[in-house]
Amino acid sequence: MDFLSGLNPQQREAVEHFEGPLLILAGAGSGKTRVITHRICYLIKTRNVPGSSILAVTFTNKAAGEMKERVMRLLGAGGATDAPTVSTFHSFCVRVLRRDGDALAQIRPGFTRNFQIYDDDDQLAIVKRVFKQLGLDEEFMKYRSALSAISQGKNRKQSPEDFYKAAMSPQGERLAKVYEQYDEELRKANALDFDDLLLETVRLLRHDAVTREWYGRRYQFLMIDEYQDTNRSQYELMRLLATQHTNVAVVGDEDQSIYGWRGADIKNILDFEKDFPGAKVIRLEQNYRSSKTILEAAGAVVAHNTARKGKWLWTEADAGAPICLFEAADGEQEALYIAEAIDKTLKREPMLRVAVLYRTNFQSRQIEEALRRYGRKYKVVGGLSFYNRAEVKDALAYLKLLLNPKDNVGLLRVLNVPARGIGKTTVEQIEKLARAQNISLWEAIGSGCDDRRFGARAEASLGAFRRLILELNEGLAERPPDQTLKQILEKSGYAKMLEVDPSPEAEGRRGNLQELVSAADDATQRGETVEEFLDHAALVSDSDDVDEKAQISLLTIHNAKGLEFPVVFIAGMEEGLFPHSRSRDNEEQLEEERRLCYVAMTRAEKRLYLSHAKSRRKYGGSPPEPCTPSRFLGEVPQQLLESLTDDHSAPFHVDLYGERQMVREVARRNTYTGKTYNSLDHISQFFSERGIQTPAARPPGQGPLVPMPLRRPEVVAPGNQSGKPSAGESARQSSAQGALFPMPPGQAPGQVGVPPKQRSPIAGSVPASGTPHPAGLPRLVPPKPPAVTSMPSKAAKDGSRVRAGATVAHPKYGKGLVLRKEGDGDEAKITVSFPGHGLKKLVAKYASLKVVD
DNA sequence: CGCTATTCATTTTTT
DNA sequence: ATGAATAGCG
């Protein structure tokens, strides 16, 4: 196999480079992934380098996976025997520390290879706790700012002591104290945060010559992708790995450095030739992705930057279509314009993939809403990803706690979830005890119970929790992770809690947990250990969730790095939003924003749309603030632009905001407002104004029209999407489905175990209940079916007469109608509608209710 | 203790 | 608009 054919001379030169340092300056769309994969294969096949001595580092797990796959495919049969290592820096570090981390205990007492990874949420929880301990609150400093200050400190290799020394004010000293305590908490729990993963690996390799040499010998060839976004620790790590040779090939583009705020140091790439004298430098400047127009526009924008090596991309492609510039009256019009343009485009060319890019995540909302009214399916990348959802984190926290009882953050997370009567006071007692004896919270619970330090009630609850964990812990090592996970959900009562939960979100939560169990199952099938499963969960990123086949993707520009789309929209090109107001006063940050703009524009292959609004509301409510167009728009040569301005926006004024308000209002009161409210009317109006047929025709044969704005069926959180029918798919169905949450017979999959309840509680769509409603009472959700309400067996006490449909009297609210009852006996929760007071949810035990016959 | 209602602040980007 | 932190009630 020839790995050189089809490459241009520069690409070829890069692939053929053998030993010694190499810097590949690869412009956007210049085929760098191709170069990396081909070079790996070339080294293996032509230069007879063992695959296992090649280490390639990428920016995301997904990129790593794809690269590995491509290499394997290129190598063909037999290539797998001696596979190269392809991973992210973070994953690589985790593997090093898990494998060879023992020596680290000498310089980090208490460290073991079973360390745990604390993610963003865990970090935040610690900072909050530390603040509380020190009597600080967000007045002093935002939690997030403290966290980022600590992170920056770590990246600059500053210890808490350094913070103390550098502190010029009491503020600074307090921050140092926070840092110190934060680190202390991590150490006590034997946990590492993201920064630590890199930092401690560097320290390990520095400290332990044996390990350093082992890795130096093991990896003879290093390749680092996205080099412009490496930070100091990553740089040092590379140097350490390359001490025995200088076979380091880095690939990057200074114009695409967009992670400075997170510690990435653009100097790493700008100074590579200084760091590695004699380095060969190859520029890849031929672009294979975009039209000439797009390329020219992007190049013109980024040319305004000064911190660059200078590069001019060229292409053989045609000029292509001009770039569309749209000025909307406000954010809603902008979203509608984008949705409409997408709709039109896809009607014309259904096979195109479209991306809408934006600077900040919150911008996705409006666009989602606009797309939904065109009935277009889309996929949002980022936001709340699968592993960030509360229920998933809860379940994983149990699992982590089993593996590492010192995990205080995890313990606090699940101690009272589901509610088992362990409240604030008790937690405080535990914390106090733990601090006094310098033991973990888990140990404190144990010793506190043994010494009878808690009240009787608390002790009972804590005892139950303790037994639960111990029970789950039994035989842990022998059980596959998915089994353990299932046991956790069942025995902890978590599954039960969600089953009983009548809220509409519960359905999604159950689904997510099913998904988690099957993910664990998949991991088991692949032969992964629980630890590996958890590591994976901690290290996945939003961009790992990109579905390249999705027809419409919504994502931040950061998440779009490395991707390409035939059609790209960049929304919200306004001063203050993009460039972001936080970057406005700093020239360096402004340049990074400009690079971000460059990255965004160069994602486009054929068509590029830029849009901005003349005014925009900062958050939900009023008032809209005037916006000036982004300076970056002015940097695009005018002759490349085609303006579509106001006359387009004038004729239609669909008030998305007002409409939404109305829908909510109606939904909330659930009353019939005489005139049938149905937003589809508005939609058809919207279309007829433009001479288009309503696109989202109702599904054939289905009853009343369902208002669009409230439906979100197509949108599923990234990890939750059924869209990756992986190898484990069939196993997933059989092993996971229905096991946790029994499914009523005849119910479609996808609505796992949800009682058929009020879905869209709009207008008349809810059938009248059998219960007669007193006049004037709002028509409400029907009471639960008799299965729940009349539980004849053991409701002997006085609560038994309170049931749905009964009228009761309350000392304060007077007479009311019982709408539903959950549970029975003292614990029963009763929902009563009191005319004039609205809905009240009462607990039988507390509320002194009398039944009126 | 747990739930609910109310306040309040909040929107950069994330391995 | 949304969510997190707090206060008050049963």
Side-chain angles (χ1 to χ4, degrees):
Chain A
M1 169 94 198
D2 176 16
F3 301 113
L4 300 173
S5 62
L7 300 178
N8 69 34
Q10 292 77 31
Q11 292 176 328
R12 202 182 169 111
E13 194 185 353
V15 168
E16 283 184 297
H17 176 87
F18 184 40
E19 289 173 317
L22 170 67
L23 169 62
I24 302 172
L25 292 168
S30 62
K32 70 174 177 161
T33 312
R34 193 137 183 255
V35 166
I36 298 174
T37 49
H38 281 245
R39 179 159 185 264
I40 292 174
C41 296
Y42 174 83
L43 285 173
I44 293 174
K45 288 289 181 180
T46 309
R47 296 288 192 165
N48 294 317
V49 172
S52 59
S53 64
I54 298 172
L55 171 63
V57 183
T58 60
F59 205 65
T60 65
N61 294 295
K62 182 160 168 284
E66 282 171 3
M67 186 169 292
K68 198 159 190 172
E69 203 190 300
R70 277 174 79 164
V71 168
M72 288 315 189
R73 218 174 30 226
L74 277 173
L75 288 177
T81 48
D82 198 17
T85 303
V86 187
S87 83
T88 65
F89 269 110
H90 291 270
S91 306
F92 177 74
C93 288
V94 169
R95 258 187 290 169
V96 171
L97 292 171
R98 291 245 186 265
R99 186 181 178 278
D100 301 294
D102 284 336
L104 195 58
Q106 292 158 15
I107 46 175
R108 189 178 167 115
F111 175 87
T112 73
R113 279 161 37 210
N114 297 321
F115 68 89
Q116 201 181 318
I117 302 169
Y118 270 0
D119 67 17
D120 202 61
D121 261 16
D122 301 326
Q123 290 176 278
L124 199 62
I126 292 184
V127 168
K128 282 183 188 166
R129 222 141 59 84
V130 168
F131 268 44
K132 203 170 253 174
Q133 275 168 34
L134 299 176
L136 301 168
D137 55 21
E138 283 208 283
E139 285 294 290
F140 164 67
M141 195 183 209
K142 298 274 184 243
Y143 300 132
R144 289 273 171 203
S145 316
L147 214 43
S148 100
I150 291 171
S151 171
Q152 297 229 313
K154 283 190 177 188
N155 272 320
R156 268 178 274 148
K157 290 212 139 38
Q158 291 168 324
S159 64
E161 292 75 52
D162 295 328
F163 268 42
Y164 276 121
K165 280 186 214 132
M168 307 294 282
S169 61
Q171 281 240 338
E173 268 177 43
R174 255 174 281 171
L175 178 62
K177 185 89 189 149
V178 171
Y179 181 9
E180 187 178 54
Q181 295 262 50
Y182 168 88
D183 241 22
E184 188 57 32
E185 290 291 328
L186 284 171
R187 275 160 201 270
K188 275 197 271 188
N190 190 23
L192 302 182
D193 63 22
F194 287 130
D195 295 318
D196 288 339
L197 293 176
L198 304 173
L199 234 44
E200 295 297 344
T201 307
V202 167
R203 293 217 302 154
L204 171 71
L205 294 181
R206 281 248 158 81
H207 172 76
D208 182 26
V210 176
T211 306
R212 183 174 63 242
E213 276 157 27
W214 190 87
Y215 279 98
R217 241 175 292 119
R218 161 90 204 253
Y219 294 114
Q220 292 290 318
F221 289 86
L222 307 182
M223 303 198 74
I224 299 174
D225 193 12
E226 307 284 6
Y227 189 65
Q228 76 281 355
D229 283 323
T230 51
N231 65 22
R232 178 165 164 174
S233 318
Q234 291 165 332
Y235 172 78
E236 285 180 16
L237 186 59
M238 173 201 67
R239 299 294 310 229
L240 282 164
L241 289 170
T243 41
Q244 293 164 45
H245 56 76
T246 52
N247 302 329
V248 181
V250 303
V251 188
D253 177 1
E254 79 276 10
D255 290 335
Q256 294 188 62
S257 164
I258 55 175
Y259 283 101
W261 51 273
R262 183 172 93 178
D265 193 349
I266 193 170
K267 285 208 210 80
N268 286 348
I269 192 164
L270 295 176
D271 293 346
F272 185 83
E273 293 161 88
K274 251 188 261 165
D275 292 333
F276 291 92
K280 178 180 237 175
V281 181
I282 295 174
R283 289 181 147 76
L284 302 181
E285 295 182 299
Q286 181 173 5
N287 175 292
Y288 295 95
R289 180 186 294 153
S290 310
S291 74
K292 199 170 267 173
T293 302
I294 291 168
L295 210 54
E296 214 174 298
V301 170
V302 81
H304 285 77
N305 275 358
T306 54
R308 56 196 300 253
K309 279 178 176 271
K311 207 172 14 12
W312 196 263
L313 291 186
W314 60 278
T315 177
E316 287 173 354
D318 296 336
I323 294 165
C324 281
L325 175 63
F326 181 72
E327 179 179 71
D330 55 32
E332 277 130 33
Q333 302 305 321
E334 182 192 37
L336 284 168
Y337 161 74
I338 290 173
E340 191 193 357
I342 290 177
D343 189 62
K344 269 194 196 147
T345 307
L346 289 179
K347 279 215 180 88
R348 217 172 36 232
E349 294 173 82
M351 296 312 288
L352 288 181
R353 288 177 310 112
V354 181
V356 184
L357 309 184
Y358 35 79
R359 177 69 235 271
T360 62
N361 269 311
F362 83 98
Q363 291 171 263
S364 75
R365 260 172 229 278
Q366 282 184 330
I367 300 165
E368 285 182 61
E369 214 156 308
L371 281 169
R372 241 176 283 139
R373 49 184 54 224
Y374 281 83
R376 287 288 177 185
K377 281 203 216 170
Y378 56 89
K379 173 136 191 214
V380 187
V381 178
L384 249 200
S385 62
F386 181 68
Y387 283 108
N388 274 326
R389 310 193 106 80
E391 61 277 8
V392 173
K393 299 207 94 158
D394 288 342
L396 291 179
Y398 272 107
L399 197 52
K400 289 178 195 167
L401 184 59
L402 294 182
L403 262 61
N404 174 16
K406 286 195 279 190
D407 176 10
N408 291 340
V409 173
L411 183 134
L412 287 177
R413 181 169 188 111
V414 298
L415 183 57
N416 201 31
V417 182
R420 37 175 88 85
I422 302 171
K424 218 168 68 176
T425 335
T426 312
V427 172
E428 268 162 25
Q429 282 175 327
I430 299 168
E431 296 228 46
K432 211 164 133 197
L433 202 60
R435 223 168 314 137
Q437 304 188 18
N438 199 23
I439 51 179
S440 70
L441 296 180
W442 168 250
E443 289 165 322
I445 290 173
S447 85
C449 282
D450 292 344
D451 303 349
R452 325 229 60 195
R453 302 283 279 266
F454 307 112
R457 232 176 114 150
E459 191 183 306
S461 311
L462 288 173
F465 178 74
R466 206 176 157 197
R467 279 192 301 280
L468 169 71
I469 298 299
L470 290 174
E471 187 190 343
L472 288 168
N473 207 34
E474 223 149 279
L476 181 66
E478 289 79 49
R479 231 176 304 126
D482 61 308
Q483 287 300 319
T484 303
L485 216 42
K486 255 190 216 177
Q487 285 202 11
I488 285 171
L489 294 172
E490 274 155 25
K491 297 200 170 148
S492 69
Y494 205 101
K496 193 67 179 275
M497 176 181 80
L498 287 184
E499 249 174 86
V500 172
D501 189 343
S503 70
E505 296 86 38
E507 178 181 359
R509 301 219 177 98
R510 286 187 290 259
N512 285 337
L513 288 178
Q514 298 271 16
E515 187 75 16
L516 181 66
V517 171
S518 42
D521 181 51
D522 287 353
T524 315
Q525 306 282 319
R526 286 196 300 269
E528 285 178 25
T529 64
V530 195
E531 286 86 354
E532 283 168 324
F533 176 65
L534 288 173
D535 285 348
H536 172 77
L539 294 175
V540 284
S541 66
D542 287 341
S543 16
D544 291 327
D545 253 323
V546 176
D547 175 4
E548 252 138 334
K549 289 187 302 276
Q551 189 164 45
I552 304 175
S553 304
L554 273 53
L555 62 175
T556 62
I557 301 169
H558 284 90
N559 272 325
K561 185 163 93 153
L563 305 175
E564 56 188 20
F565 304 89
V567 184
V568 168
F569 289 79
I570 306 175
M573 299 212 56
E574 294 135 35
E575 285 293 305
L577 190 55
F578 189 27
H580 197 270
S581 50
R582 297 279 238 272
S583 310
R584 213 164 7 190
D585 306 324
N586 178 322
E587 194 50 43
E588 253 174 56
Q589 292 182 339
L590 205 54
E591 293 212 346
E592 182 152 312
E593 295 280 318
R594 189 174 280 112
R595 290 192 292 268
L596 206 46
C597 183
Y598 175 76
V599 168
M601 293 172 81
T602 52
R603 297 311 94 196
E605 295 167 5
K606 296 186 173 132
R607 300 227 43 166
L608 178 60
Y609 295 80
L610 310 173
S611 60
H612 69 98
K614 281 191 278 198
S615 73
R616 189 183 291 277
R617 12 170 72 100
K618 211 148 189 227
Y619 16 72
S622 50
E625 289 164 40
C627 305
T628 52
S630 167
R631 71 193 67 190
F632 303 145
L633 290 175
E635 294 168 4
V636 177
Q638 289 306 299
Q639 71 274 13
L640 303 177
L641 289 174
E642 180 185 36
S643 286
L644 302 172
T645 335
D646 358 49
D647 55 329
H648 194 85
S649 73
F652 58 97
H653 264 299
V654 180
D655 183 3
L656 272 185
Y657 178 69
E659 207 175 274
R660 195 165 52 220
Q661 288 285 76
M662 197 165 158
V663 172
R664 294 183 124 254
E665 186 70 2
V666 172
R668 194 171 61 76
R669 283 204 310 253
N670 204 11
T671 52
Y672 233 128
T673 50
K675 198 174 152 192
T676 310
Y677 178 79
N678 189 325
S679 69
L680 272 188
D681 293 345
H682 293 254
I683 295 169
S684 4
Q685 186 191 336
F686 174 80
F687 284 104
S688 61
E689 275 164 8
R690 241 149 287 119
I692 311 169
Q693 279 262 295
T694 305
R698 80 189 98 152
Q702 286 193 11
L705 293 177
V706 182
M708 303 275 301
L710 282 186
R711 285 218 307 182
R712 311 191 60 176
E714 296 88 1
V715 206
V716 187
N720 192 17
Q721 190 109 4
S722 52
K724 27 171 196 193
S726 53
E729 186 72 18
S730 51
R732 167 174 314 176
Q733 297 299 343
S734 55
S735 74
Q737 190 105 169
L740 285 169
F741 310 106
M743 214 190 324
Q747 194 162 352
Q751 321 178 338
V752 186
V754 193
K757 57 167 186 289
Q758 69 284 10
R759 282 201 193 271
S760 85
I762 276 275
S765 65
V766 175
S769 74
T771 321
H773 285 265
L777 208 80
R779 183 187 288 231
L780 271 162
V781 164
K784 279 230 168 175
V788 180
T789 40
S790 61
M791 204 111 60
S793 49
K794 51 176 175 179
K797 281 186 256 172
D798 94 284
S800 62
R801 289 177 62 215
V802 180
R803 63 182 64 198
T807 307
V808 293
H810 184 272
K812 198 158 149 194
Y813 306 120
K815 280 187 192 175
L817 176 73
V818 177
L819 292 173
R820 84 197 302 166
K821 182 179 172 188
E822 296 159 73
D824 49 27
D826 279 354
E827 305 291 328
K829 293 187 180 73
I830 301 154
T831 309
V832 190
S833 175
F834 295 100
H837 293 94
L839 279 189
K840 301 279 174 206
K841 202 165 186 181
L842 308 162
V843 178
K845 188 165 42 167
Y846 298 121
S848 32
L849 289 175
K850 282 200 190 79
V851 179
V852 180
D853 291 309

